[in-house]
Amino acid sequence: MTLNHGPVSPYKPSRDFLTQRSIPSTVVATLLLSVLVLLATYILGGFDGLTGNGAAALIFGVIASFALGIGLMVAVFYSSRKYDDAAHYAAMDHFTKESRSSDEPNGRE
């Protein structure tokens, strides 16, 4: 038995959960979170005693860490949902067909 990872059911959702609007909004939210963390760091004195290079490294490190972490979580979520939905639809089709065939007489009596 081979598994087809494509939707094989009329229950296919109409839109993918990662639409063209959600990726830019994720990027904007990541940058906003980075700005808020850097602002809190500045207010709490995290930039005191740093040179210009040190402050640049801190800013780059915060933005890169958030981008990498959130990007990897989005990739794992997308990958998981993509294959789980296909398996779910395949199982629904399999059991729907199986229950219909068990209701029919098999000719052996």
Side-chain angles (χ1 to χ4, degrees):
M1 176 178 159
T2 61
L3 289 178
N4 182 4
H5 290 292
V8 293
S9 171
Y11 305 107
K12 177 183 172 187
S14 61
R15 299 185 75 187
D16 193 18
F17 69 94
L18 280 178
T19 61
Q20 291 182 354
R21 279 189 341 197
S22 67
I23 291 177
S25 64
T26 302
V27 170
V28 169
T30 302
L31 290 175
L32 182 63
L33 179 65
S34 299
V35 167
L36 290 175
V37 167
L38 289 170
L39 184 63
T41 302
Y42 177 75
I43 290 171
L44 295 174
F47 285 96
D48 292 343
L50 288 180
T51 64
N53 290 338
L58 177 66
I59 291 168
F60 176 76
V62 167
I63 293 172
S65 296
F66 279 130
L68 181 65
I70 292 173
L72 288 174
M73 284 187 278
V74 167
V76 167
F77 180 76
Y78 175 74
S79 174
S80 172
R81 294 285 286 193
K82 180 179 177 184
Y83 293 114
D84 283 349
D85 285 347
H88 172 73
Y89 297 134
M92 283 178 49
D93 283 345
H94 173 74
F95 288 115
T96 302
K97 290 175 187 174
E98 186 176 286
S99 67
R100 275 188 258 147
S101 65
S102 66
D103 291 341
E104 299 171 359
N106 59 5
R108 295 184 193 172
E109 295 188 25

